[in-house]
Every structure is written in C-alpha cells, then in structure tokens.
Amino acid sequence: MSQVDRIELELANELLQLSAPFRISGHVFRDSPVTVATLRQGGCTGRGEAAGVYYLADRPADMLPALEAVRGTIEAGISRDELRELLPRGGARNAVDCALWELEAARAGVPAWQLAGMERPRRLLTTFTVGADEPAVMARRAQAYTHARAIKVKLTGELELDQDRVRAIRAARPEVWLGVDANQGYEAQALSRLLPTLVDAGVSLLEQPCARGRESELDGVEHIIPIAADESILDLAELESRGRWFDVVNIKLDKCGGLTEGLLMARHARELGLQVMVGNMVGTSLAMAPAFLLGQYCDVVDLDGPLFLTRDRDHGLVYADGHVDCPENVWGAPGAVS
C-alpha cells in the first residue's frame, strides 16, 4: 500500500453522561465511557463507537492500549475478516470493525447497508427500557413512554419485588408488548416461581434469567415463554456451544466484536432454529447505527441507548411512534469524507 493510500487511525475516549442513574441487577450506571475509532484514507472517513462489556472488565480505558498495540497492522491495511483474527471479541474490535464498514462504504460510494447485501433499511419497532426501581416509579416511567409500543423491564432477582414490578407496569400499559430482563439475577427455583407471574402479565420474552456459566440450570425449567441469552452468548463460537438452552439470542456488537460478527451470528442463529434480537450497551447514535442494520434481520429490537443520555451526536437516530429510524447521515453513508 502506498503512503497516499495508508490508513490513519485516530482513537479517543469520551465520557457520556446519563440523564439519570440506571439500575439493573447488580449494577447502577451513572455515566458511560466509550471509545471512538476513526479511520481516514484518501479523503474518506470511517467511524465506530464502543462501550465494551462491563461485566467482563472490557472497558474503554483498556481498549485504547489494546488498539494502540495493533495500530501498525490496522494502518497498513486490514480487512474486516482479518480484524476478526487480529483482535478478540469485545469493544475494541467493535469500534474498528464499524469504522471499517463506514470507510469501505465511503470509498465504494455506496451505503453500508448495500455493502451488507440487504434491502434499503426500514424503520424498526424498538423496545424502550424501564430501569429497576420501586414498582410505582417504574409504572410512571412506562406511562411516560407515551409513544412506546414495546417496553422492556429490568428486574433484579428480588422475586416478590420483581413480581410487583411486572404487575404494576402491565397495569399501567396494558396494550404494549412487554419483555423482562433479569440480567443474571435468578436461580432455577426462584425462576420457576417468577414464570407464572410473567405469563399472567402477558410477558412475551424473558432475557438472561440465570448467571453466565450456569446455563444448565435451565434444563429443568419449562420455557412457557421464550427465554433469551444475553450475557450467556457473546460471539459466534458461544452461539454454537450454548444456543441449545435458549429460544432467542440477543446480539450486541460490543459483545461479539462488531457488525461483521453480528451478521454471522444472526445467520447461524436462524440455522439453529433460534430467534434473533439486537441489543445495545448505552451509547450514542453512532454506536446504534451499525446495530440498526443488524436489526433488519431481527425479531426483537432494543436500540434505545441514546435516550438515556443528556446529549446525543449532532446527527442522531429518530424515535417516533414506537419505532426507531436511522437517517443515512448518521453512519455508513456513501462517499463520507474527512
């Protein structure tokens, strides 16, 4: 590759501020650090944003040195397939993978969705997430999502309180699609007591009830509603080895290492007879835009991350009538230049 064609890699960490604390099982988020990777080549630009995976200690503070260690290989020119071999799954690879997608789109003069071999993206029905709190507080938050057609409820593993949370939100919003996310908070015995409450409340999806590494606890649990893997399945290899315990897999680009791996996972999940969900760590629209493309292949979409921030990017996703849409100028537009 000539010096003119050489890729320039720029790296920066940013601290995104949440508009309010956000609680899930075992964790409270007050801000969200992210790594932004920018690739420049011949007047074209590609960008990617990643938050990493907090429960694996995959954090932006460590992502920068990991990327600096392979800067020379990236700047010498690397394909997305080669990147999958160079870096492990996680946020660092996600940031560069998404930047490579946008750079390739800019160089080719076609949108990223066309590179991915898909039809022009359509707007998607998305869930809107209610963080864990007192039941009455959560019910009010659910009511405040006046445009929402689908709501996801964060649980904490406190059985009776979680039951009250689900009942309160269903009473407040009887018309919406409802899912719950336990974030690894349950053991099998308590889960068996939770499930009838979920059925009575018309809950359509239970996400990650048991701890990562303890998937076998689901062997004796009747799947009276679909059960989704989040923390339990990180990448393509784990989809193959752990998919049998679940009905749905939640693919997050920060977990699997980018849109390239995410698309491979979505296709293989279908081959395994699983439904597919796309989710997100908290991030700006720059992080959501590649996941929006993945969402075109998904049964459940959870891309509400920017709504928890005090400020999004200047060009952002559009939320209206319970749906999310991604204008082309957010990310992946043809001919994007420096």
Side-chain angles (χ1 to χ4, degrees):
M1 180 179 293
S2 70
Q3 192 63 34
V4 173
D5 294 330
R6 188 176 180 86
I7 295 173
E8 297 179 6
L9 171 65
E10 297 177 9
L11 298 169
N13 277 1
E14 302 176 6
L15 186 63
L16 309 179
Q17 297 296 328
L18 274 62
S19 56
F22 184 77
R23 184 186 175 203
I24 65 173
S25 177
H27 201 85
V28 178
F29 297 91
R30 293 180 172 83
D31 51 42
S32 179
V34 298
T35 293
V36 177
T38 303
L39 298 174
R40 303 186 191 279
Q41 184 184 34
C44 296
T45 299
R47 302 157 299 147
E49 176 190 304
V53 186
Y54 70 92
Y55 52 85
L56 298 176
D58 174 30
R59 300 184 177 93
D62 299 314
M63 287 156 52
L64 277 187
L67 290 172
E68 288 292 353
V70 295
R71 172 185 289 275
T73 303
I74 293 171
E75 291 188 330
I78 190 171
S79 71
R80 289 180 278 109
D81 287 336
E82 290 168 337
L83 182 68
R84 292 181 66 227
E85 301 298 322
L86 179 68
L87 289 172
R89 68 192 178 206
R93 194 173 85 194
N94 177 31
V96 176
D97 179 78
C98 292
L100 283 170
W101 273 96
E102 187 175 48
L103 179 64
E104 186 177 342
R107 290 187 312 214
V110 299
W113 59 263
Q114 190 170 321
L115 288 179
M118 63 177 61
E119 300 294 325
R120 181 177 294 276
R122 68 193 188 283
R123 69 174 191 157
L124 299 170
L125 181 73
T126 184
T127 64
F128 294 83
T129 306
V130 178
D133 210 317
E134 293 302 313
V137 173
M138 295 175 71
R140 288 196 295 271
R141 289 175 183 164
Q143 287 176 319
Y145 285 138
T146 54
H147 58 290
R149 299 186 182 185
I151 288 177
K152 187 170 84 169
V153 181
K154 290 291 187 178
L155 307 181
T156 61
E158 302 162 282
L159 176 62
E160 292 184 1
L161 183 56
D162 282 343
Q163 291 171 319
D164 289 342
R165 287 164 168 155
V166 172
R167 294 183 185 113
I169 289 181
R170 177 50 83 198
R173 297 298 304 270
E175 80 288 3
V176 299
W177 180 97
L178 196 60
V180 300
D181 184 359
N183 282 114
Q184 310 183 76
Y186 275 84
E187 296 182 354
Q189 184 176 6
L191 179 59
S192 295
R193 296 172 59 195
L194 174 69
L195 279 166
T197 301
L198 302 184
V199 172
D200 289 344
V203 171
S204 297
L205 185 70
L206 168 60
E207 190 177 345
Q208 195 63 44
C210 300
R212 173 176 169 81
R214 297 171 62 178
E215 291 79 16
S216 62
E217 293 184 7
L218 294 172
D219 284 340
V221 174
E222 185 180 1
H223 292 216
I224 52 179
I225 63 173
I227 298 179
D230 182 0
E231 290 90 341
S232 282
I233 296 179
L234 303 179
D235 61 8
L236 188 61
E238 292 193 347
L239 174 60
E240 182 68 36
S241 63
R242 299 181 177 187
R244 66 185 182 276
W245 280 295
F246 299 96
D247 309 291
V248 184
V249 58
N250 185 353
I251 303 172
K252 295 180 179 177
L253 303 191
D254 270 308
K255 292 191 306 179
C256 71
L259 179 59
T260 302
E261 182 99 357
L263 291 170
L264 291 172
M265 289 182 69
R267 285 194 286 270
H268 192 51
R270 296 293 188 200
E271 293 169 355
L272 295 174
L274 299 176
Q275 290 191 312
V276 185
M277 175 178 179
V278 63
N280 69 102
M281 304 299 185
V282 175
T284 72
S285 289
L286 178 58
M288 302 303 117
F292 177 79
L293 294 190
L294 177 60
Q296 303 298 312
Y297 299 107
C298 293
D299 304 285
V300 181
V301 173
D302 176 25
L303 294 179
D304 60 347
L307 299 178
F308 296 94
L309 302 176
T310 58
R311 187 176 186 277
D312 194 7
R313 305 286 174 186
D314 289 339
H315 300 291
L317 272 61
V318 176
Y319 294 92
D321 192 30
H323 290 72
V324 58
D325 202 359
C326 185
E328 237 174 41
N329 64 353
V330 176
W331 175 88
V337 296
S338 304

